[in-house]
Amino acid sequence: MIASELLAQAAFLDGREPQSFPFFGVERRGAPVTAFARIDDRPIQLRTSIEHPDVVVVLDPGLLHTTPVTDGLKEGGLLLVNSRLPPEEVVAPASVRRATVDATRIAVAHGLGTASTPIVNTAVLGALAKAAGVVTLDAVQRAIDQFVPGHRPENRLASSDGYESVRLAGPMEHGAPVLAHRLTPLITVPEGPLATRPSSDLHTAAWRTLTPVVHLEKCTRCNFCWKFCPDDAIGFDSNGFPVIRLDYCKGCGICAAECPPRTIEMVAEA
Amino acid sequence: MAKLTIPAQELMYSGHAACPGCAAALAMRLVLKGLGPRTVVSIPACCWTVIATPYPTNALGVSVFDNPIESTGASLSGLRAAADALGYKDFHVVGFAGDGGTADIGLQALSGMLERRTNAIYVMYDNEGYMNTGVQRSGATPQGAWTTTTPVEGTSRGKPEAKKDIMGLVLAHRPTYAATLNPAFPEDFVRKVEKARDLTGSRFLHVFTPCPPGWKYSSEESIKLGRLATDSGIFPLFEAENGKVRITRKGGALKPVDEYIHAQGRFRHFTPEDIQAFQAEVRLAWERLLRLEKESL
Ligand SMILES: Cc1ncc(C[n+]2csc(CCOP(=O)(O)OP(=O)(O)O)c2C)c(N)n1
Ligand code: SF4
Ligand code: SF4
């Protein structure tokens, strides 16, 4: 949300007519959120969410595995992802131009946030200035000076690094299918009674920044992890060893903290 | 596999909308393990309304009744009357409400339900604030704690008033059963739920549920904080059957409150004197409880 607001502020400083607003979904810590920005040379009257964007920016690369982020993206549109991967390896439909920037590394290098929760906004905005050309790097940096509450020099440097290091790839001959199936169902209003489906029809994997990995050789099968999981995201295999149900785990770390022999390790996802 | 120490049945589904590490989510999971499927849960406006119904789904494998924030107690009387009229046997009528919806806004409805001796179980999950609306202070917020409405800036140094004695308010009605529960002690937790389940009359469960975003700590510490709260005497575990109080966990000497206080951002501004004052209150309350255990009948 902050990134979208800063983008709009930067566009304004460039003398354009921007608009920025969040999509209100589940506002819980870690839950993925969506924000929109429109930029034009004339005042914008439209007040609706954007269904067919020219550019999609993904701050959390984990979302690529769980959410159809390119749904609605225009033919020849741009997908910019915070990722270590080269853009050619980003999974997206053929017609999409891809760009990647390792904003997490940049943010950590400049001391923005922590390794598990890096603040990648400004590095990504620098990358966006180069890859999409909708705002200038200069305007992004002036917006940082005016609206970012702390770490301004570091944020300015992060935006320059993003600008310098973003990598681009054009449309490719063969696009990979985005996702084999939709994990987050489209919201359609049912005709009968509401809320008759279990919440387990929805997946919460995208809420996670750290993932529990069980080192079974130390496991004593004490069940503590299972007992304390607030998301009922732990089951057992036929030998009684714990299995994390990764579609649902939110990565809270309780299982790792409560495991007496310290069998579970929380690791950052690639 | 080692023997399970709490029931295997799961009536809370994954995919719900609680924050990572939410102890209130774990509390619901444990309550339903103890009660089983023949249950209706009445939920007022609180975090759990949002947790239970990520549209268009339901996180509970039992019936859910959504009610206005001030009326959980009244809704339980109505639901029980309906269940009786329909001839339902072995059917649990349960309220699941936050501390704001119970100890402040819904206090008269709770008192009415207890006075009518409604045959139902009222569960109050205590995250010590109005969390669903973004961390405002409630009557259950501890003294000195930061919230958005009791800030730490200028002349304000957190919540000036003490936490309400909610169990005291409830026990004054002499319900069939009342107990304090802590998901950090799952076996004791489920035992109390099962005990409440098998009794008839008004039953009240006060559940301690640490809240990572509201109390400002890292999500993996929810259980550790719960354990510290009980072991330091801040949230003692006890039960009262028809008014007779019994402490269910006495771990020898109480731990000092320091570790509990230091682990949370909402107490970050506490000076050594603040901690001493907090400690003194905790010790007094614990001594009152010990006396109550000896003298209650
Ligand atoms: C009469 C009324 N006033 C205010 C609200 C707004 N509201 C919705 S949830 C909530 C917080 C309830 O706090 P609590 O009962 O402590 O539960 P928690 O959110 O902490 O789980 C409030 C104030 C409401 N729904 N109804
Ligand atoms: S980190 Fe562990 S306890 Fe937390 S949701 Fe995932 S499996 Fe459950
Ligand atoms: S705000 Fe607190 S009580 Fe509410 S869902 Fe989040 S962790 Fe749970």
Side-chain angles (χ1 to χ4, degrees), chain A residues 28-29 187 195 197-200 202 207 221 223 226-232 245 248 250 252-254 257-258, chain B residues 2 4 6 10 12-14 16-22 29 33 47 55-59 183 187 219-220 223 227:
Chain A
R28 291 280 193 241
R29 185 185 267 195
I187 301 296
R197 288 157 46 202
S199 60
S200 47
L202 307 170
W207 295 40
R221 295 183 282 187
N223 314 323
W226 168 78
K227 236 170 16 187
F228 289 117
C229 175
D231 286 276
D232 183 23
R245 300 157 70 215
Y248 303 112
K250 291 180 188 151
C252 69
I254 286 179
E258 294 306 318
Chain B
L4 296 183
I6 54 174
E10 300 287 357
M12 183 195 78
Y13 302 124
S14 305
H16 61 64
C19 303
C22 173
R29 187 178 162 227
K33 275 180 182 293
C47 276
Y55 183 78
T57 69
N58 177 0
E187 291 78 12
S219 57
E220 75 276 9
I223 305 301
R227 210 180 293 120

Side-chain angles (χ1 to χ4, degrees), chain B residues 73-94:
Chain B
S75 79
L76 298 188
S77 298
L79 285 165
R80 177 51 79 190
D84 286 348
L86 291 166
Y88 287 12
K89 297 272 175 279
D90 302 318
F91 185 73
H92 312 299
V93 173
V94 179

Side-chain angles (χ1 to χ4, degrees), chain B residues 24 44-49 68-70 97-102 105 125 127-133 136 138:
Chain B
C46 60
C47 276
W48 249 102
T49 359
I69 193 165
E70 61 277 48
D99 48 284
T102 302
I105 308 179
Y125 67 96
N127 53 24
E128 304 194 321
Y130 293 83
M131 296 317 187
N132 191 46
T133 36
Q136 292 84 29
S138 78

Side-chain angles (χ1 to χ4, degrees), chain A residues 208 210-212 225-226 228-234 243-246 248-256 264 266, chain B residues 20-21 219:
Chain A
R208 194 163 68 222
L210 296 175
T211 302
C225 53
W226 168 78
F228 289 117
C229 175
D231 286 276
D232 183 23
I234 300 181
V243 181
I244 313 277
R245 300 157 70 215
L246 288 172
Y248 303 112
C249 166
K250 291 180 188 151
C252 69
I254 286 179
C255 53
I264 302 175
M266 300 302 293
Chain B
S219 57

